[in-house]
Amino acid sequence: MKAQASAEQQTAAKTGADLLVEAMIAQGVETLFGYPGGAVLPIYDAIYRAEGSFDHILPRHEQGAIHAAEGYARVSGKAGVVIGTSGPGATNLVTGIADAMMDSIPLVIFTGQVAKGVIGTDAFQESDIMGITTPITKHNYQVQEIEDLPRIVNEAFHIATTGRPGPVVVDIPKDISSTVHEKQVDSEFHLPGYQPTVKPNPLQINKLHDALVEAKKPVVLSGSGVIHAGASEELKTFVQNYQLPVTTTLLGLGSYPGSCDLSLGMAGMHGTYSANTALYECDLLINIGSRFDDRLTGNLKHFAPNATIAHIDIDPAEIGKNIPTQIPIVSDARAALVSLNEKPVKGLDHKGWMEAISQNKVDYPLWHDLPEEAIVPQWLMQKVYEYTDGKAVVTTDVGQHQMWAAQYYHFDRPNRWVTSGGLGTMGYGFPAAIGAQLADMDSTCVAVVGDGGFQMTMQELSVLQERKLPVKVLIVNNQALGMVRQWQETFYSERYSESIIDVQPDFVKLAESYQIAGYKMETQEELLEVLPEVLADDQPAVIDCRVLQKENVYPMIAPGKGLHEMIGVKR
Amino acid sequence: MRRIVTATVHNRSGVLNRVTGLLAKRQFNIESISVGRTETEGVSKMTFVVEVEDDRKLEQLTKQLNKQIEVLKVSDITDKAIVARELAMVKVISNPQIRSEIQGIIEPFRASIIDVSKESVTVQVTGKSDKVDALIDLLRPYGIKELARTGLTAFTRGHQPQVAEFKSYSLLK
Ligand SMILES: Cc1ncc(C[n+]2csc(CCOP(=O)(O)OP(=O)(O)O)c2C)c(N)n1
Ligand SMILES: [Mg+2]
């Protein structure tokens, strides 16, 4: 009897949308970020009927949904799941999809589509989202048959989260999600064209080990591949074993403890002198999970000119793409580090190198002015670090404040730093904080945003209000598109074209209109008084922190220049 | 340098768009692409003739192609022993008087006339790309009204000689 009942249940009539919901539950999806509309009505109906299965977050713009999903993915390590309707719903997601592609963020995005019969007729709210997203997704699907749906959902999660992670779009025509289907469907998949290499070639590991024990000036460059692979512990062991200096990329912050002695901080355009100099002078560069982005390397001609390059990456296409590589290792970062750590440890002959590096750290630290009263952003970041004990989840928008946060907040753990690196998407920081907070309700989550970028997605304050999410929005308010202003100052003879914006909303009143506490701080004294408490409580807050407009991010490698041509190293 | 690269792909909708879009996005210079089904159901083969600057660019090309989920296998077969063919149809202006002259020209190429009208003949030629080029050059003085080429398709020969045997011999110079 029992067997019969379950067999009946299995073949009970279900819509495509029900199959989708079931598949998501089977994938362990708990949180959805989405926005309804005509083409996803059947999906929203199925979500309604599956009451209690998901926590559905409704942003006020689809861009908010997808950045929130990215923040969620960064902090939780799981795929972020997004739903948008056809046409404008889907196109509003495009920036976030491109962002996730650049930064290897695992996302599964379900878009509604007009019914199959009218695809290609310019139907109401039809857009060719397959065509639009093909170049900015790891993979995309348009579901053609209802039987394929569960399998495609499983493939999408598999592809998004394995190998080098990335966004996968699943476009679902409305007739597929609304059609009732009675047959049992198969959700098994086989992807012969997708078999990422996760284990390193032992010969290549030997080669790297040989190079390492010979090296006089080794340095490790750690990228977000280390974070994706969950390899921070293995990295620590490796680095400790050989006493190696470590620098990270912007996205790699937290992959190795930033406050540790062997850490040189971030490298690249606004990296530290010691990090960039180590990259310039090294004789062995061990890149683990970074893609040698141009903001890191500067002029390729002057990048690690005397070094043997070893590059560990799960994506073979990244190896040799920008920098000729003598020791390529296609592998998951963790697997490679485990293999390396199995090799006999030998003390290196690199005392002189380590001393020079330490001396650089002492002689050329990050610097900034500290006026009497006014708040400078670098000092602000140090205070945030101090008051949150270095333990917060920090998200940022894009601009000067992002670089200051990267320079002054030392992340000791992975998955605490949420920023838009490759695409540099303004409007990212605040919605990303919503997702980040949802992924870790126990931590303080600070969204460090610019006055410019916050205004691109600040409508998501509604979500804080609705969910009582204790995100602290810290507006580093220089009344300017600061990074643009800095470049205009430096490279365009101070012609501040469209970058000084002194007309702004009253951010305190804005917050209050969402029933969120708003604070304004203009002096150091005010900050010292207000900030510790605001950061410590469990309520959402918007903090309008007025900072000196003319501060610049230093040091800097100007575009086209090499690692050894930094400006602003000393005041 | 000019290379012949083949890719076997899962024949899903959008795969051609994905592959050509990828090549365009990464600024690869494609001379021709041909696509068709293979002996295996659901699997197609693409043959690209590409112009690349150097080995690094070529490596990127094959790696980027390989990265696509539907792409099953990518091979650069330029330096292998291969059979490579292209088909071209050339509509040449001709009156009955010069038709036999054209016939004489195309014969050594083992090309054939597949359509005749009062003012023109259409010649079909199959072979390596340089052979096709050569015939087109010879027909050009008569006036070419229309020209269509399929692009090269190729695969490796059943027997692959040792490297030394064919070092000096390349199908595409
Ligand atoms: C969507 C988008 N548009 C434009 C830019 C170019 N851009 C980079 S930084 C920046 C200024 C950001 O200003 P703000 O948010 O106030 O941050 P600040 O630099 O002042 O800290 C701009 C306009 C961008 N990165 N993203
Ligand atoms: Mg600003």
Side-chain angles (χ1 to χ4, degrees):
Chain A
M1 271 315 273
K2 208 170 165 208
Q4 204 184 344
S6 75
E8 234 163 61
Q9 220 174 20
Q10 276 176 353
T11 55
K14 286 170 196 157
T15 64
D18 291 325
L19 294 179
L20 169 64
V21 162
E22 278 179 12
M24 287 196 294
I25 293 171
Q27 282 291 339
V29 176
E30 288 164 359
T31 310
L32 300 175
F33 301 88
Y35 208 94
V40 288
L41 279 169
I43 296 175
Y44 272 87
D45 187 57
I47 291 171
Y48 187 91
R49 286 183 283 105
E51 204 206 324
S53 299
F54 308 104
D55 184 15
H56 183 281
I57 307 297
L58 181 78
R60 282 2 182 213
H61 186 295
E62 284 89 351
Q63 186 182 0
I66 192 158
H67 292 327
E70 290 182 85
Y72 178 86
R74 264 263 185 255
V75 173
S76 69
K78 299 200 290 187
V81 183
V82 181
I83 303 174
T85 193
S86 68
T91 55
N92 272 350
L93 295 171
V94 166
T95 300
I97 298 172
D99 190 273
M101 184 68 173
M102 284 291 246
D103 287 352
S104 311
I105 306 291
L107 293 185
V108 177
I109 301 119
F110 297 103
T111 52
Q113 183 53 278
V114 299
K116 259 171 65 192
V118 294
I119 290 178
T121 66
D122 304 315
F124 178 63
Q125 294 194 328
E126 177 181 359
S127 72
D128 175 15
I129 205 64
M130 293 295 287
I132 292 170
T133 62
T134 293
I136 52 168
T137 47
K138 186 169 172 186
H139 198 52
N140 61 7
Y141 295 89
Q142 186 173 69
V143 182
Q144 300 294 334
E145 304 291 339
I146 191 165
E147 292 85 355
D148 296 338
L149 186 57
R151 191 201 78 242
I152 287 176
V153 173
N154 288 350
E155 286 185 9
F157 277 90
H158 177 71
I159 291 169
T161 54
T162 56
R164 176 179 180 177
V168 179
V169 165
V170 181
D171 195 35
I172 307 177
K174 188 172 182 181
D175 53 333
I176 300 251
S177 52
S178 56
T179 302
V180 173
H181 184 76
E182 306 204 351
K183 272 182 280 170
Q184 182 67 7
V185 290
D186 192 6
S187 59
E188 294 277 299
F189 64 85
H190 173 53
L191 294 165
Y194 178 68
Q195 304 289 330
T197 305
V198 290
K199 287 263 180 307
N201 178 332
L203 296 176
Q204 294 301 96
I205 293 288
N206 289 347
K207 224 168 143 185
L208 173 52
H209 186 253
D210 292 347
L212 178 60
V213 296
E214 289 297 310
K216 302 276 181 292
K217 299 176 175 181
V219 65
V220 172
L221 171 66
S222 175
S224 65
V226 171
I227 299 176
H228 288 302
S232 289
E233 283 308 314
E234 288 74 7
L235 177 63
K236 259 190 255 173
T237 307
F238 177 63
V239 163
Q240 283 302 324
N241 283 350
Y242 298 92
Q243 291 295 301
L244 300 170
V246 186
T247 176
T248 77
T249 63
L250 174 68
L251 293 184
L253 288 170
S255 59
Y256 184 80
S259 60
C260 178
D261 265 358
L262 290 167
S263 168
L264 311 181
M266 179 175 76
M269 182 173 269
H270 294 296
T272 64
Y273 179 83
S274 61
N276 286 339
T277 305
L279 288 179
Y280 183 66
E281 292 178 349
C282 64
D283 66 357
L284 174 66
L285 170 54
I286 305 174
N287 171 3
I288 313 176
S290 126
R291 63 185 171 86
F292 285 135
D293 170 72
D294 58 83
R295 284 295 191 266
L296 172 92
T297 60
N299 188 326
L300 291 173
K301 258 196 269 156
H302 305 297
F303 184 77
N306 304 314
T308 299
I309 309 282
H311 186 171
I312 300 170
D313 206 304
I314 197 155
D315 179 358
E318 287 304 340
I319 299 180
K321 185 181 80 177
N322 295 337
I323 305 276
T325 300
Q326 289 77 40
I327 310 177
I329 301 180
V330 180
S331 170
D332 170 79
R334 198 157 82 94
L337 283 162
V338 166
S339 297
L340 277 168
N341 290 342
E342 283 164 2
K343 300 261 142 208
V345 178
K346 227 184 103 193
L348 304 187
D349 174 18
H350 67 332
K351 199 157 152 261
W353 172 242
M354 295 310 283
E355 279 168 10
I357 283 177
S358 305
Q359 200 57 47
N360 281 341
K361 281 172 77 171
V362 174
D363 292 347
Y364 305 98
L366 293 169
W367 64 271
H368 63 84
D369 290 327
L370 193 59
E372 281 276 294
E373 267 200 6
I375 300 171
V376 289
Q378 301 90 332
W379 178 80
L380 167 65
M381 290 307 154
Q382 290 167 61
K383 289 294 152 197
V384 175
Y385 179 62
E386 198 179 300
Y387 296 150
T388 55
D389 219 9
K391 296 206 173 98
V393 171
V394 177
T395 77
T396 78
D397 215 80
V398 171
Q400 291 183 309
H401 64 279
Q402 176 188 31
M403 293 300 121
W404 286 315
Q407 289 177 333
Y408 289 94
Y409 203 102
H410 307 295
F411 295 91
D412 284 342
R413 283 167 53 202
N415 305 100
R416 311 259 91 193
W417 167 242
V418 182
T419 199
S420 166
L423 200 65
T425 308
M426 279 175 74
Y428 173 90
F430 172 45
I434 292 173
Q437 182 79 77
L438 284 161
D440 182 358
M441 289 301 285
D442 299 329
S443 293
T444 303
C445 178
V446 186
V448 177
V449 297
D451 49 301
F454 182 52
Q455 291 185 65
M456 286 197 177
T457 45
M458 65 186 175
Q459 75 283 347
E460 305 308 341
L461 285 169
S462 285
V463 180
L464 297 198
Q465 177 187 12
E466 197 175 295
R467 295 301 186 110
K468 309 261 179 299
L469 283 179
V471 171
K472 317 294 181 186
V473 180
L474 177 61
I475 307 169
V476 183
N477 192 345
N478 50 13
Q479 298 190 298
L481 303 176
M483 190 56 98
V484 172
R485 192 206 58 72
Q486 174 173 347
W487 282 51
Q488 289 170 339
E489 178 187 324
T490 315
F491 307 118
Y492 295 90
S493 312
E494 300 182 43
R495 289 187 296 278
Y496 296 126
S497 183
E498 303 293 326
S499 61
I500 312 276
I501 307 175
D502 38 26
V503 177
Q504 300 186 320
D506 180 328
F507 289 112
V508 172
K509 282 196 184 142
L510 178 78
E512 284 167 0
S513 75
Y514 288 95
Q515 279 142 17
I516 295 168
Y519 305 88
K520 184 173 172 181
M521 309 181 308
E522 290 177 289
T523 63
Q524 293 174 21
E525 201 185 327
E526 283 168 3
L527 184 144
L528 295 172
E529 203 172 299
V530 178
L531 195 59
E533 257 175 65
V534 177
L535 289 179
D537 72 20
D538 60 354
Q539 295 297 313
V542 173
I543 307 150
D544 178 4
C545 186
R546 299 301 171 102
V547 299
L548 277 190
Q549 188 176 67
K550 291 279 165 76
E551 276 304 308
N552 286 337
V553 184
Y554 289 129
M556 178 179 191
I557 301 170
K561 299 288 184 186
L563 287 170
H564 61 311
E565 297 169 294
M566 306 186 76
I567 54 175
V569 174
K570 289 226 165 196
R571 50 176 318 204
Chain B
M1 50 190 187
R2 205 193 219 178
R3 309 294 297 184
I4 307 172
V5 177
T6 62
T8 46
V9 301
H10 258 304
N11 199 358
R12 300 241 174 90
S13 78
V15 59
L16 185 60
N17 181 25
R18 182 173 287 278
V19 166
T20 53
L22 160 77
L23 297 175
K25 156 173 137 176
R26 306 254 174 206
Q27 304 224 300
F28 290 109
N29 212 338
I30 312 169
E31 277 184 15
S32 73
I33 297 187
S34 70
V35 194
R37 283 182 291 198
T38 64
E39 74 285 359
T40 312
E41 209 193 306
V43 173
S44 288
K45 179 168 200 138
M46 298 184 179
T47 308
F48 310 94
V49 178
V50 289
E51 185 64 45
V52 290
E53 281 151 45
D54 50 31
D55 286 337
R56 213 159 105 213
K57 199 91 178 134
L58 175 66
E59 187 182 313
Q60 262 297 302
L61 174 93
T62 53
K63 282 175 164 181
Q64 292 293 347
L65 284 172
N66 248 321
K67 205 161 126 171
Q68 306 310 310
I69 312 285
E70 293 117 333
V71 172
L72 301 170
K73 187 168 195 280
V74 181
S75 317
D76 175 359
I77 60 171
T78 320
D79 299 329
K80 298 250 165 68
I82 59 175
V83 278
R85 291 291 181 271
E86 177 176 13
L87 182 143
M89 296 193 293
V90 196
K91 193 184 283 168
V92 188
I93 299 171
S94 83
N95 53 35
Q97 289 91 304
I98 57 171
R99 203 169 294 154
S100 61
E101 201 176 317
I102 289 175
Q103 187 74 55
I105 289 172
I106 69 172
E107 214 185 83
F109 290 85
R110 282 191 259 163
S112 51
I113 290 176
I114 56 172
D115 182 54
V116 180
S117 74
K118 255 198 250 141
E119 295 93 30
S120 70
V121 294
T122 297
V123 175
Q124 171 195 304
V125 59
T126 319
K128 293 180 288 178
S129 296
D130 49 357
K131 169 180 158 187
V132 173
D133 289 343
L135 179 59
I136 290 169
D137 281 348
L138 288 173
L139 292 174
R140 203 175 295 282
Y142 297 92
I144 292 178
K145 277 181 81 174
E146 228 180 310
L147 170 68
R149 300 175 71 151
T150 58
L152 194 77
T153 189
F155 54 49
T156 53
R157 287 179 186 273
H159 172 68
Q160 289 295 311
Q162 293 305 302
V163 180
E165 281 181 50
F166 64 92
K167 199 65 191 262
S168 58
Y169 153 89
S170 166
L171 281 160
L172 288 177
K173 281 173 273 242

